[in-house]
């Protein structure tokens, strides 16, 4: 089954404790990205990757890191989480950016930072 | 100015009616336009995409694109209670996808 898988789905952590949210896709997509979704603000892009070893900042990259060492994986790293990073996070992938390419989402990760 | 703007709603329609959802975007260079449905606490699901001016129909859904007016809409015919959700408009501009904040739709039985 074609899918984007992210883990953990639910996490409560404390301020400053490094965490990683993993994301993996099995569709051989070149493009992957991370979003956070907050009430009233919608989906905002954190980082995206056009292909292996190519990553770029989205609209809200502060406090996050990513890497793309393999095509299928795109982990999101919070080096020192803060309460304002409490949010619903989605990983997504697309065959590539550009006309006609749709974006597919993982199931989401609920992150609470206390 | 936001890249993608939608009325937040809520929009309420009776069962069987046509629901009309609207979206405007700011970048004339945007290439592809999408409508997603999102149930509370779930991930967005693609309804349809459009990238040429005019109408595109898929079952009960019709997407309309007017690039001159920078306007995208979604019509849902014969609305069902199961259509009650938040509808997200998304735009592909260059290497990024931008999303509106969504319109909440309630279909009243």
């Amino acid at each position: 089954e074609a899918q984007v898988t992210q883990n953990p789905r639910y996490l409560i952590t404390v301020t400053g404790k490094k965490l990683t949210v993993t994301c993996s896709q099995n569709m051989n997509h070149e493009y992957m990205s991370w979003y956070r979704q907050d009430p009233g603000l919608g989906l905002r892009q954190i980082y995206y990757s056009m292909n292996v070893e190519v990553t770029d900042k989205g609209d809200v990259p502060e406090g996050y890191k990513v890497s793309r060492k393999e095509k299928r994986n795109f982990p999101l790293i919070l080096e020192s989480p803060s309460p304002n990073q409490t949010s619903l996070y989605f990983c997504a992938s697309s065959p590539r950016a550009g006309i006609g390419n749709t974006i597919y989402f993982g199931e989401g990760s609920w992150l609470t930072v206390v | 100015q936001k890249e993608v703007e939608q009325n937040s709603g809520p929009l309420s329609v009776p069962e069987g009616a046509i629901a009309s959802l609207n979206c405007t975007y700011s970048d004339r260079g945007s290439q592809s336009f999408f409508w997603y449905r999102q149930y509370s606490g779930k991930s967005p699901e693609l309804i349809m995409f459009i990238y040429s001016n005019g109408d595109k129909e898929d079952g009960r859904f019709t997407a309309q694109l007017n690039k001159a007016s920078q306007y995208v809409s979604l019509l849902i015919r014969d609305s069902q209670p199961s259509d009650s959700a938040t509808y997200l408009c998304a735009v592909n501009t260059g290497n990024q996808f931008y999303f509106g904040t969504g319109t909440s739709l309630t279909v009243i039985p």
Side-chain angles (χ1 to χ4, degrees), chain A residues 31 35 37 40-43 45 48 50 57-59 90 94 96-107 110, chain B residues 2-3 31-32 34 36 38 40-46 49 51 67 88 92 94-102:
Chain A
Y31 186 96
Y35 295 85
Q37 188 173 36
L41 297 176
L43 279 161
Q45 193 169 46
Y48 65 96
M50 299 290 290
K57 295 179 180 178
D59 296 321
F90 288 104
S94 176
R96 58 193 60 81
I99 193 165
N101 285 285
T102 55
I103 195 162
Y104 301 91
F105 287 88
E107 292 187 315
W110 291 90
Chain B
K2 289 184 180 178
E3 291 280 345
Q31 300 175 299
S32 305
F34 309 86
Y36 285 84
Q38 187 179 26
S40 181
K42 302 295 185 182
S43 61
E45 306 168 281
L46 179 70
F49 68 89
Y51 49 83
K67 289 187 177 180
L88 305 176
N92 177 208
N95 295 331
Q96 291 189 253
F97 293 82
Y98 297 95
F99 288 79
T101 54

Side-chain angles (χ1 to χ4, degrees), chain B residues 17-71:
Chain B
I18 296 175
S20 178
L21 304 161
N22 304 314
C23 171
T24 58
Y25 60 96
S26 61
D27 192 328
R28 287 192 174 276
S30 299
Q31 300 175 299
S32 305
F33 308 87
F34 309 86
W35 283 99
Y36 285 84
R37 176 175 61 198
Q38 187 179 26
Y39 295 109
S40 181
K42 302 295 185 182
S43 61
E45 306 168 281
L46 179 70
I47 298 173
M48 61 193 306
F49 68 89
I50 186 168
Y51 49 83
S52 298
N53 274 328
D55 296 0
K56 180 180 180 181
E57 187 175 316
D58 185 359
R60 295 186 297 113
F61 300 95
T62 299
Q64 299 173 316
L65 174 62
N66 183 328
K67 289 187 177 180
S69 301
Q70 295 174 244
Y71 176 88

